């Protein structure tokens, strides 16, 4: 296959993935919206692959940064929502951490220190 055929094939696969996510999940789902944005960024990068010039490389880097920001924001929003809807933790007994509490200076959840 030539580069253009590879590009078209990859773009078609990403388009199929985009349709599957958009049809399979509600539009108000934060993670689905993030996934759609990531797929759109990947599609834009694939379309620029045949150019192989510095401007296309810079655009690809910008798209990668946008994808990371989108994914990070989605994780933070979902994490915050989960914290709001979870049951409150009972107050600890002096000298003893509450059941299920993380030990140490902080708790790691979803890759974010909280």
């Amino acid at each position: 296959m030539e580069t253009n055929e590879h590009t078209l094939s990859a773009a078609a696969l990403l388009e199929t993935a985009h349709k599957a996510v958009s049809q399979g999940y509600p539009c108000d789902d934060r993670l689905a919206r993030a996934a759609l944005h990531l797929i759109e960024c990947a599609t834009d990068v694939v379309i620029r692959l045949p150019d192989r010039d510095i401007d296309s490389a810079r655009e690809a880097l910008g798209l990668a940064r946008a994808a990371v920001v989108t994914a990070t924001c989605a994780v933070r929003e979902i994490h915050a929502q989960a914290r709001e809807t979870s049951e409150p933790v009972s107050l600890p007994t002096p000298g003893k951490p509450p059941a299920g509490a993380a030990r140490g200076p902080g708790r790691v959840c979803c890759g974010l220190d909280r």
Side-chain angles (χ1 to χ4, degrees):
M1 259 190 212
E2 281 186 31
T3 302
N4 287 338
E5 291 175 7
H6 286 291
T7 301
L8 293 174
S9 177
L13 288 172
L14 287 165
E15 183 180 341
T16 301
H18 192 281
K19 285 180 185 175
V21 172
S22 64
Q23 292 173 356
Y25 297 91
C27 63
D28 63 339
D29 184 294
R30 291 180 179 119
L31 198 52
R33 284 195 323 259
L36 290 171
H37 188 255
L38 295 173
I39 293 167
E40 291 162 2
C41 288
T43 303
D44 288 344
V45 169
V46 165
I47 290 169
R48 287 171 177 79
L49 281 176
D51 296 340
R52 298 199 181 272
D53 58 20
I54 192 70
D55 290 333
S56 294
R58 285 185 179 136
E59 287 181 38
L61 183 58
L63 290 163
R65 287 179 180 144
V68 169
V69 169
T70 298
T72 302
C73 289
V75 168
R76 286 185 177 160
E77 286 181 15
I78 292 167
H79 182 254
Q81 182 182 10
R83 287 182 66 190
E84 290 172 3
T85 59
S86 67
E87 294 181 21
V89 177
S90 61
L91 294 174
T93 305
K96 181 179 175 185
R103 290 172 175 55
R107 179 174 63 119
V108 177
C109 182
C110 302
L112 300 173
D113 288 313
R114 294 279 184 197

